[in-house]
Amino acid sequence: MKLRAITGFFFIIVMIASNLLGSYVFSGFYLLLSAFCLFEFYKLVREGGMTASRETGIINGALFFLLVAANFYFPAWRLIFLLPLTFSAIFIQELYKKTPAPFTNIAFTFLGIIFAVVPFMFFHAMAFMTGAVFNFHIPLAFLIILWSNDTGAYLVGSKMGKTKLFERHSPKKTYEGLIGGIIISAVAALILGHFYTELTWKQWVTIAILISCFGTLGDLVESMFKRSINVKDSGGILPGHGGLLDRFDGLLMAAPIVYAYLYFISN
């Protein structure tokens, strides 16, 4: 428990610092983070008896993130047309491998990019929602609301949780915990709305509800994936907490949904 608390404390410090130290640190940090999450995904795939083109997938995932993120600093959309060329390397590589299921390898390689890299691209884009100028308010608020949801769901679920949410995939999750997470995250959103005035309090609360619902869904999806290959944690990089995918499972599905909401209300 002590090790878990220490790891959690430093994890939060690093995450907050990544938002406060400027746009270049922010972009570089989440580029590396998405690459490590993709590495974990491919590692889990191999533990499940399947294969993926790990090195080629990580290179393509990092390049995908980099080319999209570069557009927030200078016009780089034309460079994105390099991606079909680099993505084709995933298919070409299988031609030279003697594997019984080459398209399964290709499918898991692309699934890793979609599952572990694309959500961080949407999260990164939140920092530039107010224009070309970097603004850490929205991504930092997203993290605070996500942590508030996790805390609320755990506290309420452990004390009052009786009705199972998806017992087959996550036995400890309950509807009571889900509701508790929504309430606590909404309170956090209301507080943040007093300091971060880019959005109205109603919009912040809406974001909190989206994060709670889709963050929980992302947690369940990652649990489903781990149970399908009989592993407890996605990795051991965070002592007492498991792997990076374990810590960011809530972000994986919530970030694209929240970005879509922000995009439509800002346009």
Side-chain angles (χ1 to χ4, degrees):
M1 190 68 180
K2 183 178 180 181
L3 178 62
R4 180 180 175 87
I6 293 173
T7 303
F9 173 77
F10 283 104
F11 172 78
I12 291 174
I13 294 298
V14 170
M15 295 303 300
I16 293 176
S18 70
N19 284 262
L20 300 180
L21 293 178
S23 60
Y24 292 110
V25 172
F26 181 81
S27 298
F29 178 81
Y30 285 98
L31 169 62
L32 290 174
L33 187 58
S34 62
F36 277 114
C37 285
L38 185 55
F39 176 83
E40 276 193 358
F41 179 87
Y42 290 146
K43 180 174 175 288
L44 288 175
V45 167
R46 291 191 176 188
E47 289 180 7
M50 300 160 286
T51 57
S53 300
R54 184 173 63 185
E55 291 76 15
T56 310
I58 292 174
I59 291 171
N60 274 280
L63 185 62
F64 191 13
F65 185 104
L66 184 62
L67 292 180
V68 172
N71 284 277
F72 297 112
Y73 296 95
F74 60 91
W77 284 110
R78 292 182 180 180
L79 295 176
I80 292 179
F81 290 101
L82 292 173
L83 289 174
L85 179 62
T86 61
F87 280 156
S88 67
I90 297 173
F91 293 90
I92 295 171
Q93 190 175 20
E94 290 300 322
L95 293 172
Y96 293 93
K97 291 181 178 180
K98 296 181 180 180
T99 55
F103 272 88
T104 301
N105 301 344
I106 292 169
F108 275 109
T109 303
F110 279 105
L111 177 61
I113 295 173
I114 294 170
F115 184 74
V117 175
V118 172
F120 285 103
M121 292 166 55
F122 281 103
F123 179 79
H124 175 270
M126 291 181 198
F128 300 89
M129 288 298 301
T130 55
V133 179
F134 171 76
N135 184 350
F136 67 85
H137 289 177
I138 293 177
L140 181 58
F142 180 101
L143 292 175
I144 293 173
I145 293 171
L146 182 62
W147 297 335
S148 300
N149 172 69
D150 291 343
T151 302
Y154 172 76
L155 293 176
V156 176
S158 61
K159 297 294 184 181
M160 297 184 292
K162 294 181 180 180
T163 311
K164 301 298 182 182
L165 187 60
F166 274 95
E167 188 172 8
R168 183 159 55 96
H169 300 304
S170 186
K172 294 182 180 180
K173 280 195 168 31
T174 62
Y175 280 99
E176 292 83 0
L178 174 64
I179 295 171
I182 292 174
I183 293 173
I184 298 299
S185 62
V187 171
L190 285 172
I191 296 172
L192 287 167
H194 287 285
F195 300 97
Y196 298 159
T197 57
E198 295 89 344
L199 303 173
T200 66
W201 70 268
K202 293 181 181 179
Q203 292 167 343
W204 280 119
V205 171
T206 301
I207 289 173
I209 295 171
L210 291 174
I211 290 174
S212 295
C213 294
F214 286 95
T216 301
L217 184 61
D219 191 339
L220 289 169
V221 169
E222 202 240 357
S223 295
M224 177 178 66
F225 176 55
K226 289 189 296 183
R227 285 182 177 273
S228 69
I229 56 178
N230 296 315
V231 298
K232 181 181 178 182
D233 298 321
S234 64
I237 193 171
L238 298 172
H241 289 266
L244 291 172
L245 285 176
D246 294 324
R247 291 302 90 207
F248 291 100
D249 50 9
L251 180 146
L252 297 178
M253 295 197 70
I257 299 297
V258 170
Y259 180 84
Y261 170 73
L262 289 170
Y263 177 82
F264 284 113
I265 68 170
S266 64
N267 289 275

